[in-house]
Amino acid sequence: MARWPRGEADVERLVGLGHLQHVTGAAADGTPLLAKARRTLATAESVAPSDADSAFVLAYDAARYAATALLAHQGPRPTTAGGHVAVESAIRAQFGDGFRRFGFLRRRRNELEYPSAGSTTSDVEEANEAVAQSRSIIEAAGQLLPNLSFFG
């Protein structure tokens, strides 16, 4: 399989900035992260009726694991300097608007985790929507993963 051409310059820029770093060996296998994404999503779905905030955060984490699986399978992984924003930038650059909702989930998760004014909370409907969006991201990642080659 050839190098994934779309977003190549963006990924190289993120590597150059230290927001992504190259990994090899077992760390460059996205399969375990995709499995973790699926387990985390199941947990998010199960707690949504009783703890919407946690369900939303878990749904986001599941989507992040799936996105990170795509990167890892190609060789790059996020660094602490790049964090979750680097994951979003890299997957959107490579895989387009199908991953646009990841950015919304990331920003909303930040609002829930780090409220700036008053108490920001989620509700069951929003948590269930986050689960559905995360499921869509995980399914897309599952279809893409076998077709990716090492970014090198």
Side-chain angles (χ1 to χ4, degrees):
M1 283 174 257
R3 192 177 200 184
W4 194 267
R6 181 179 177 176
E8 180 177 0
D10 293 276
V11 171
E12 288 180 351
R13 180 182 57 78
L14 291 166
V15 169
L17 291 170
H19 293 184
L20 296 176
Q21 65 185 20
H22 290 290
V23 296
T24 59
D29 180 4
T31 308
L33 279 170
L34 191 57
K36 185 175 185 173
R38 291 180 175 126
R39 289 190 310 272
T40 303
L41 183 65
T43 302
E45 192 167 26
S46 72
V47 301
S50 61
D51 188 353
D53 285 358
S54 293
F56 192 102
V57 171
L58 285 167
Y60 165 71
D61 284 342
R64 180 175 49 83
Y65 293 141
T68 303
L70 293 174
L71 294 177
H73 213 68
Q74 298 174 88
R77 74 169 176 200
T79 64
T80 54
H84 300 198
V85 174
V87 173
E88 178 185 358
S89 297
I91 63 162
R92 293 234 5 232
Q94 292 187 88
F95 309 117
D97 284 341
F99 290 88
R100 181 176 45 86
R101 296 306 289 173
F102 179 80
F104 166 76
L105 292 172
R106 183 186 63 75
R107 288 184 299 278
R108 180 64 177 128
R109 175 263 187 189
N110 286 349
E111 290 172 359
L112 293 170
E113 291 283 289
Y114 312 106
S116 59
S119 68
T120 302
T121 60
S122 185
D123 59 28
V124 174
E125 183 178 334
E126 183 182 37
N128 286 335
E129 180 60 27
V131 166
Q133 290 173 8
S134 181
R135 180 175 288 110
S136 176
I137 289 168
I138 292 167
E139 288 171 0
Q143 291 175 359
L144 284 167
L145 197 75
N147 299 304
L148 297 177
S149 60
F150 201 69
F151 192 81

